Amino acid sequence: MSDGRCYDIVIVGAGAAGLCFAAALRGTPLRIALIDKLDEAILANPAYDGREIALTLRSVATLRTLGLWERLPSEQVAPLHGARVYNGESLSCLDLRPPPAAPAQIGYLVSNHLLRRAAHEAARANAQISWFARTHVTQVSCSTQAARVALEDGRALEARLIVAADSRFSETRRALGIAARMHDFGRTMLTCRMTHEVEHQRIAQERFGHHQTLALLPLNGQCSSVILTLPHAEITRLQQLSADAFERELERRCARRLGRMSLNSERFAYPLVGVYATRFVAERFAAIGDAAVGMHPVTAHGFNFCLASHATLAQLLRQALHSGQDIADASLLRRYEQAHCRATLPLYLATNAIARLYTDESPPARLARAALLHLAHRIPPVGSTLSRLLIRQGAPAAGDLRLVSRA
Ligand SMILES: Cc1cc2nc3c(=O)[nH]c(=O)nc-3n(C[C@H](O)[C@H](O)[C@H](O)COP(=O)(O)OP(=O)(O)OC[C@H]3O[C@@H](n4cnc5c(N)ncnc54)[C@H](O)[C@@H]3O)c2cc1C
């Protein structure tokens, strides 16, 4: 049963990537079908999910262009003034700050659910979008003539282009036979909000300790997002502790640097799996967001890459419309794939290597990371590259940051 309408683009997945992409096509004549398995009410007002997204200044500029930034509640946008990376309990660290004459902030922290809510509002402003919530795709087929998806409720949609934005475990990508390289890090990340006695001074901290990785992201007030990476069984134990026992254990794991700590949200767990699709495009098909590149969150590039992927594709589609080219033209899709691969592959590989190195407890790995931080202190280009990779503020433009060595 066809819904009787022919679309230009079917987007599968109304997460941050799908919604931002749909919002980016506002003002074009493109008719869009947006499909998500979640209920419309949940898409409009998603619940807090423990993710605090570190946005680069460049991503903030993209969000402004999309009309998203001004939809965020300003009191819940937390400016980030710097970041420090420590190896174990060592007092020396890599310290990243903006240059003296630059604005104080190197980026901003915003909760994922607020970004999704704002993206939903912005996409809603695009009258060319037809919404298909609380349903999922059961079949996908793409040919030189057209692309088709079948929905579980029996409806079938036809379009010129299908865009997969249905998470790193994309069923749409799989249905089209596109493989992905996956790396399971064998670790799980616990995230929650905690208030604390000692001020964070808007400085993020990443501490690669022995047997645990701990990140503290400064939110507004005396509150931080705590992100703890451990083997899965340990995270399950921490989730099951009473709030009081959890707070005492976190104070100990933070070496009491933040003083007394209180749990201020639910505790969320995210198993760590990196995913890189072997192809981002096929006949009348493109993958964006995590469906193309699902990063390890340690370097905070995932959402920033989502914005980059949809911006590149949306710009190519606008150019195609302008010149009367088919929006699913193979050369256009190939250009998207090449540009996104260039932007993401080096950071994806480097992030995985660093995540492996900093969770490996073998003596050679411990020596290697101590040596790497030592080199980073001694050789400024090594330091700034490592800092950009490790610190959860994404990849700022050259010259945005300065590295201060603290020994
Ligand atoms: C703990 C954590 C911290 C992070 N921190 C940062 C950070 O600081 N900075 C940063 O840039 N990134 C960060 N990220 C990454 C960022 O959250 C993701 O890159 C981004 O949210 C991915 O968006 P997406 O829309 O591609 O996928 P998702 O958010 O996974 O959305 C996918 C959507 O598709 C829908 N869907 C799935 N399957 C189907 C189907 N078959 N049919 C229909 N709909 C379907 C789902 O319901 C969902 O709405 C973090 C991630 C984690 C886990």
Side-chain angles (χ1 to χ4, degrees), residues 11-19 35-38 43 49-56 59 108-110 112 115-116 132 135-138 151 164-172 189-191 217 227 268-272 288-306 392-394:
I11 304 173
V12 187
L19 289 169
I35 304 166
D36 201 288
K37 57 185 179 188
L38 296 177
L43 289 175
D49 62 14
R51 293 187 231 183
E52 307 292 345
I53 305 294
L55 294 167
T56 61
S59 291
Y108 292 88
L109 288 155
V110 181
N112 189 50
L115 281 167
R116 281 188 71 151
F132 296 83
T135 184
H136 66 264
V137 172
T138 52
L151 303 182
D166 50 348
S167 85
R168 63 188 63 204
F169 303 113
S170 170
E171 287 166 26
T172 313
M189 220 174 214
L190 180 141
T191 71
L217 305 181
I227 301 150
F268 298 86
Y270 291 94
L272 293 174
I288 61 171
D290 279 16
V293 183
M295 295 287 289
H296 185 302
V298 71
T299 49
H301 289 297
F303 180 73
N304 292 293
F305 278 169
C306 280
R392 302 174 55 83
Q393 50 71 51

Side-chain angles (χ1 to χ4, degrees), residues 7-10 30 142-147 159-163 281-286 313 316-318 320-321 324-335:
Y7 297 92
D8 294 301
I9 304 176
V10 166
L30 294 170
C142 294
S143 70
T144 44
Q145 280 77 39
R160 291 202 277 160
L161 177 67
I162 293 180
V163 173
V281 301
E283 187 90 65
R284 298 196 174 275
F285 170 81
L313 186 57
L316 287 166
L317 297 187
R318 281 177 184 275
L321 285 173
Q325 190 190 15
D326 179 5
I327 56 162
D329 183 84
S331 66
L332 177 155
L333 295 179
R334 238 189 344 267
R335 271 195 286 156

